[in-house]
Amino acid sequence: MRSLVDKLHRSRTLTAEEYKQLLLCRDAGTTDYLHQQASEVALTHFGNKIFIRGLIEITNHCRNNCYYCGIRKSNAGIARYELTREEILECCDEGYQSGFRTFVLQGGEMPDVKDEWTESVVASIHQRFPDCAVTLSLGEKSQEVYERFYRAGADRYLLRHETCNARHYGKLHPADMSLAHRLQCLDWLKEIGYQVGTGVMVGSPYQTVEHLVEDVLFIECFRPEMIGLGPFIPHHDTPFAAFPSGDIGLCLKLISIFRLLLPTSLIPATTALATVTPDGRERGILAGANVVMPNLSPSGRRADYSLYDNKVSVGTESAEGLRELKEQLKKIGYEVSEERGDYESGT
């Protein structure tokens, strides 16, 4: 099986059957070898730098009813909120002083009437912090709205496809959502000129290894600048409350596969990894990840942005814990970088 790792490292591609074999492989030695090769590739391209992004969860209002998500429209059990422009800029001020040079505005999918407000917020951030990157993760929009956000100063857009199997997508989402439209949005974002991020929810209900192989092949073809991976974690107020969390080992294996497949991609060690296991972030980095996203949101709002149960937003997953994060990364041989970490430059 190590020959498959060597082939992926050398050729940056495998056949569908070879990807399946690698994902199903239970040999600990092969898995360790995969992580080692991926880590070496990341070190070659980025050194021991880990880029930090300041996450600002701007609203938990959402018009969608995705079956796995705790902020789905039908969940009446959470207190809804929406940060003001002033609150968002205050988060950015605090983040800038702490060394953050990328701000990620994440939120539920808001109604179209909010697009003009979002555009103005992006413009305000871009004007106040011209040396910083602005990343948006706000769901599906029209091509025209994506263009407006881009012209206002947004540099990157994160839109995880979650699964590229249409039947599986239909089991995770209501009928008014479609995989075809999600993929169309990704194409629009790339055409406009964003650095585009997509990714997979690993271990989601009804997911098979064949689905994951389809996801790998899609990402190999689409070639996003950013790849977001995290294990599925259930939320108690969703239809999937009784399903188990995704396998962190499989998630780490996919991080390594994507690092070998797209060596200069930006791959975060996600909060979901740290939620499943305390050392999840460190394990993600040692598997090839090179980005972490501490939470810059107002501390009083973080618990309300409950995508899944027990979501970590304190300690080293928070902006306040940046010093502790630096110390923990130092223990495994890495250091926090305060650069923007743009994909094109490889830094």
Side-chain angles (χ1 to χ4, degrees):
M1 293 299 293
R2 291 192 181 197
S3 63
L4 292 183
V5 177
D6 291 334
K7 179 181 178 182
L8 180 58
H9 190 177
R10 180 179 65 253
S11 304
R12 299 181 185 174
T13 187
L14 293 176
T15 66
E17 181 58 32
E18 287 170 334
Y19 281 128
K20 181 178 179 180
Q21 291 178 36
L22 199 51
L23 289 171
L24 289 174
C25 178
R26 300 296 183 186
D27 177 64
T30 299
T31 300
D32 289 345
Y33 184 66
L34 172 64
H35 294 330
Q36 177 189 6
Q37 294 300 303
S39 177
E40 289 180 4
V41 167
L43 287 168
T44 296
H45 289 279
F46 301 99
N48 68 339
K49 295 178 180 178
I50 301 298
F51 301 116
I52 53 171
R53 279 59 165 118
L55 178 64
I56 306 172
E57 296 158 337
I58 66 173
T59 183
N60 66 354
H61 287 281
C62 191
R63 62 186 177 188
N64 293 332
N65 256 320
C66 305
Y67 301 145
Y68 50 82
C69 184
I71 65 170
R72 63 196 306 266
K73 180 180 179 180
S74 295
N75 184 6
I78 61 172
R80 301 288 177 173
Y81 75 89
E82 181 180 301
L83 299 185
T84 65
R85 181 203 314 265
E86 290 69 29
E87 286 176 313
I88 294 170
L89 289 173
E90 184 177 335
C91 291
C92 293
D93 281 329
E94 294 175 0
Y96 193 88
Q97 293 171 21
S98 297
F100 290 89
R101 294 300 179 265
T102 292
F103 304 118
V104 181
L105 306 189
Q106 184 180 77
E109 199 164 302
M110 294 183 288
D112 295 341
V113 294
K114 298 295 296 183
D115 291 337
E116 185 174 348
W117 175 84
T118 302
E119 182 181 4
S120 68
V121 169
V122 171
S124 296
I125 296 172
H126 183 64
Q127 183 177 17
R128 186 176 296 191
F129 307 98
D131 57 330
C132 294
V134 179
T135 301
L136 301 180
S137 181
L138 301 173
E140 298 177 359
K141 301 290 181 181
S142 69
Q143 184 175 17
E144 185 265 337
V145 168
Y146 286 144
E147 289 173 346
R148 284 165 48 194
F149 292 168
Y150 186 74
R151 290 195 299 268
D155 305 274
R156 307 167 181 153
Y157 204 103
L158 306 175
L159 185 65
R160 296 205 315 192
H161 67 280
E162 305 297 7
T163 176
C164 65
N165 180 279
R167 182 171 295 182
H168 184 218
Y169 192 93
K171 290 186 176 182
L172 304 180
H173 303 87
D176 61 348
M177 298 180 69
S178 74
L179 175 62
H181 188 255
R182 178 63 58 98
L183 298 182
Q184 177 66 79
C185 288
L186 286 170
D187 286 337
W188 285 336
L189 291 164
K190 179 167 279 194
E191 290 170 11
I192 291 167
Y194 283 94
Q195 295 176 40
V196 182
T198 192
V200 184
M201 183 166 52
V202 181
S204 59
Y206 311 111
Q207 186 181 71
T208 67
V209 69
E210 287 80 12
H211 294 152
L212 289 173
V213 170
E214 290 182 56
D215 292 319
V216 173
L217 293 172
F218 166 71
I219 287 176
E220 180 178 339
C221 179
F222 185 71
R223 307 189 74 77
E225 287 83 2
M226 300 169 285
I227 307 168
L229 297 166
F232 164 77
I233 304 173
H235 187 285
H236 63 278
D237 277 333
T238 68
F240 292 159
F243 282 81
S245 295
D247 179 6
I248 188 172
L250 188 56
C251 194
L252 295 171
K253 190 179 289 186
L254 281 162
I255 287 175
S256 294
I257 287 173
F258 286 127
R259 173 57 64 209
L260 295 178
L261 180 61
L262 298 171
T264 60
S265 57
L266 298 163
I267 304 177
T270 59
T271 298
L273 285 173
T275 298
V276 170
T277 181
D279 64 346
R281 179 189 52 253
E282 290 89 339
R283 291 174 67 183
I285 290 169
L286 293 172
N290 64 332
V291 173
V292 293
M293 299 172 63
N295 201 316
L296 274 174
S297 306
S299 57
R301 291 299 190 185
R302 294 177 193 173
D304 295 324
Y305 198 79
S306 53
L307 303 179
Y308 45 81
D309 286 345
N310 305 313
K311 179 171 171 280
V312 180
S313 59
V314 296
T316 54
E317 291 298 316
S318 69
E320 308 90 86
L322 188 57
R323 178 179 296 178
E324 183 183 352
L325 172 64
K326 291 178 178 179
E327 291 173 355
Q328 290 196 1
L329 292 181
K330 186 177 180 179
K331 290 178 181 178
I332 60 171
Y334 290 83
E335 62 180 28
V336 164
S337 171
E338 296 181 356
E339 302 170 56
R340 282 171 45 125
D342 287 308
Y343 173 83
E344 290 87 352
S345 66
T347 62

